[in-house]
Amino acid sequence: VGIGAGGRPCAVRLDARGLIDGAEPTATVLYGWRLQRWSASARAWKSYATAAAGFTGGRFEARWAPDVVNNPGWYRVELTVENGGRPAKAALSERFQLSC
């Protein structure tokens, strides 16, 4: 986490990782990332950034590096996986706070 100097904005690059185990070597696995920010006024988690990708079967380490600029607050990361047409499953990180 960095703090900008000399009038530069506070910029943070996150490093999200998730290990996905594709059950069948030939199955298509789709996954999506969502960075959520807590909204005190709405008293709910709101999407801040998203990304999606996929791969074919096997085990795969998914990585995502979203940037947060000048937006301190509470965040969490969600990884959703759809494996070979089976219903999507989601994994949530613990919440964390970004500040400048």
Side-chain angles (χ1 to χ4, degrees), residues 35-48:
L35 177 62
Q36 299 173 319
R37 186 177 187 280
W38 177 254
S39 170
S41 61
R43 300 183 59 84
W45 291 99
K46 301 286 187 170
S47 290
Y48 183 82

Side-chain angles (χ1 to χ4, degrees), residues 5-92:
R8 293 180 14 216
C10 167
V12 177
R13 171 156 287 170
L14 301 175
D15 182 21
R17 298 178 197 191
L19 185 59
I20 302 171
D21 192 7
E24 298 177 29
T26 59
T28 299
V29 179
L30 303 175
Y31 64 95
W33 292 103
R34 185 164 53 152
L35 177 62
Q36 299 173 319
R37 186 177 187 280
W38 177 254
S39 170
S41 61
R43 300 183 59 84
W45 291 99
K46 301 286 187 170
S47 290
Y48 183 82
T50 61
F55 65 97
T56 302
R59 190 171 241 185
F60 181 76
E61 182 185 20
R63 295 186 72 170
W64 185 41
D67 292 319
V68 178
V69 179
N70 264 354
N71 206 353
W74 287 98
Y75 290 85
R76 69 182 184 182
V77 177
E78 179 184 67
L79 173 61
T80 304
V81 178
E82 183 181 315
N83 191 349
R86 286 185 234 141
K89 293 183 180 180
L92 282 173

